Amino acid sequence: MSGVTAFVYSDDYLNYQFGPTHPFQPIREKYTFDLLKDLEIFDEKAKHYKPDPASEEDLLLVHSKDYIEFVKKMSEKGRGYLDYGDTPATKGIYEAACSVVGGNLLAADLIMNGKVSHAFNPAGGLHHAKRDRAAGFCVFNDIAIVTRYLQKNYNLERIAIVDIDGHHGDGTQQIFYNEPILKISLHKYGFGFYPGTGDVIEIGDGPGRGYSVNIPLPEGTSDKTYLYAFNEIVPPLIKKYKPEILINQFGVDAHYQDPLVGLSLTTKSYEKISSTMHELAHEISGGRYLIVGGGGYNIKNVVRCWTIMFVTVSGVRPKNTQRYEELFDPEIKEEDRTLEKVKETVERLKKMIFPLHKI
Ligand SMILES: [Zn+2]
Ligand SMILES: [Zn+2]
């Protein structure tokens, strides 16, 4: 019963860039599109859609007027930083950031109007941006904006955000900390690691209590341990919460070859996560599954992981099966020493969170 899957992409995304030596390189989005075309994925079940940029009114769903004006001004100047040194203010970054957000809004409209069941915007997933400031390469929080957009335009009440980026989805958590929007983030956590938040004890406040769910993982966490934690926490909470739509931040910087993070996932995890999320979307959320990108700083790996995810979700089998199979990593045989520690974390988290959801 799988419907159409949209690949939402515009060349405008390529302007969301911070210079040739910066780790964040939007060309990975174009290369993913190119590889999917090479694999002959696009047909009646998988379609490309080109978004328009978001408007200032859309940004105001989440961000303050002052902050939006600041980004505009800095974008015209094209010098300095939008934060304390991670996110440069390059020329035209405002318009480029609007195109990223526009991708999410088109994805949401396509899903909600029934044109597609699933949609992927590889430029989205900028989960560190706060209401009134940029952070960690993220200018506007497209995840939070599309959540507000779905509330406002489609009257959705139960929206779940599952964030698998190697870093904590701190901006998204902060924006919805007091609201019953289910946010689950799996990420590396440890002394000195960016952004420093995302401990188990951050569970939300007021009506949001129990709706911020953090799975902090130690350096070196590999497929087996990661998937154990994912499967113990994510499906039970989604099944209980019954979201009307599933949003999945699909940053792939937890991959073992990523230069910035230090988790040890292979393509196997990304295939399993996308198939589990896809099944959950059909079982619980009427198939409505919106996927956004996120981190990923080894371009070739990002392209492989996103392509595997898109193929898995769309259900379209690539004609060149050998080329597709070559995208997968070999299995890592090394022993993973993190399982016991992660089991403890998962048990602690279950004790805190599951009673709040009567699981
Ligand atoms: Zn489907
Ligand atoms: Zn990241």
Side-chain angles (χ1 to χ4, degrees):
M1 66 163 278
S2 193
V4 176
T5 304
F7 188 84
V8 179
Y9 175 83
S10 160
D11 280 334
D12 294 345
Y13 292 168
L14 300 176
N15 300 323
Y16 190 87
Q17 54 81 27
F18 306 109
T21 58
H22 193 278
F24 189 96
Q25 293 297 332
I27 194 74
R28 62 204 183 126
E29 295 138 39
K30 181 177 164 28
Y31 289 162
T32 304
F33 188 29
D34 290 345
L35 179 56
L36 288 166
K37 283 191 273 191
D38 282 357
L39 288 166
E40 299 178 63
I41 286 301
F42 295 105
D43 66 357
E44 66 281 356
K45 297 268 281 172
K47 292 187 192 308
H48 166 233
Y49 289 86
K50 187 175 175 293
D52 292 322
S55 66
E56 186 175 325
E57 193 192 334
D58 298 321
L59 305 179
L60 283 164
L61 290 169
V62 166
H63 297 287
S64 67
K65 179 88 181 155
D66 284 354
Y67 173 60
I68 295 168
E69 291 304 323
F70 167 74
V71 177
K72 268 190 203 170
K73 200 178 75 200
M74 294 296 283
S75 171
E76 272 167 36
K77 272 204 279 182
R79 265 183 287 110
Y81 283 90
L82 294 170
D83 55 8
Y84 307 109
D86 287 330
T87 317
T90 45
K91 213 160 180 70
I93 194 70
Y94 174 77
E95 288 77 11
C98 288
S99 79
V100 172
V101 176
N104 282 16
L105 305 185
L106 174 61
D109 287 335
L110 289 168
I111 292 171
M112 295 312 298
N113 295 328
K115 283 221 168 66
V116 307
S117 295
H118 325 308
F120 175 43
N121 172 19
L126 305 177
H127 61 171
H128 297 306
K130 316 295 189 298
R131 179 179 175 270
D132 54 6
R133 65 185 175 90
F137 324 154
C138 303
V139 179
F140 298 127
N141 194 316
D142 55 279
I143 304 168
I145 293 169
V146 78
T147 300
R148 289 280 182 246
Y149 184 84
L150 287 162
Q151 290 174 322
K152 183 178 145 227
N153 294 316
Y154 298 99
N155 297 314
L156 297 195
E157 288 176 358
R158 294 185 313 283
I159 299 170
I161 303 165
V162 177
D163 185 328
I164 63 160
D165 195 277
H167 300 91
H168 178 224
D170 59 336
T172 317
Q173 172 174 298
Q174 192 185 91
I175 291 162
F176 300 122
Y177 204 62
N178 298 299
E179 296 175 46
I181 299 291
L182 181 63
K183 306 159 287 291
I184 308 175
S185 179
L186 297 96
H187 45 263
K188 182 174 139 178
Y189 182 79
F191 183 75
F193 185 68
Y194 187 86
T197 49
D199 197 357
V200 172
I201 55 168
E202 298 163 31
I203 62 166
D205 263 338
R209 191 173 151 78
Y211 292 92
S212 283
V213 180
N214 287 296
I215 311 177
L217 300 165
E219 171 112 11
T221 298
S222 69
D223 290 327
K224 189 181 155 203
T225 304
Y226 191 97
L227 291 170
Y228 163 80
F230 186 92
N231 289 328
E232 286 292 305
I233 301 294
V234 178
L237 280 169
I238 297 288
K239 284 178 187 176
K240 193 72 190 181
Y241 181 67
K242 296 188 175 54
E244 294 152 292
I245 188 168
L246 268 181
I247 299 177
N248 191 184
Q249 200 272 18
F250 213 92
V252 291
D253 48 5
H255 188 274
Y256 76 102
Q257 287 168 327
D258 190 274
L260 296 193
V261 173
L263 293 175
S264 297
L265 304 196
T266 71
T267 45
K268 181 185 158 186
S269 282
Y270 294 112
E271 186 192 34
K272 293 267 187 224
I273 292 163
S274 41
S275 73
T276 302
M277 291 293 290
H278 176 240
E279 278 167 30
L280 284 168
H282 279 291
E283 189 188 330
I284 309 293
S285 309
R288 290 178 290 275
Y289 182 25
L290 197 168
I291 309 151
V292 294
Y297 306 101
N298 174 321
I299 292 174
K300 281 185 181 160
N301 291 335
V302 175
V303 172
R304 291 191 296 124
C305 294
W306 282 351
T307 298
I308 289 167
M309 174 275 288
F310 192 83
V311 167
T312 304
V313 171
S314 70
V316 180
R317 299 326 294 175
K319 295 201 175 61
N320 188 339
T321 43
Q322 194 193 337
R323 176 130 190 239
Y324 180 63
E325 270 149 32
E326 282 166 7
L327 300 177
F328 286 82
D329 293 309
E331 206 179 314
I332 296 181
K333 296 267 189 258
E334 283 161 51
E335 195 193 341
D336 178 2
R337 291 170 210 282
T338 65
L339 184 61
E340 286 314 307
K341 190 169 178 207
V342 171
K343 273 187 174 165
E344 273 173 39
T345 303
V346 164
E347 288 313 311
R348 228 179 114 211
L349 185 60
K350 279 184 177 173
K351 277 202 191 98
M352 292 176 79
I353 295 285
F354 282 12
L356 297 169
H357 296 268
K358 301 191 171 60
I359 296 176

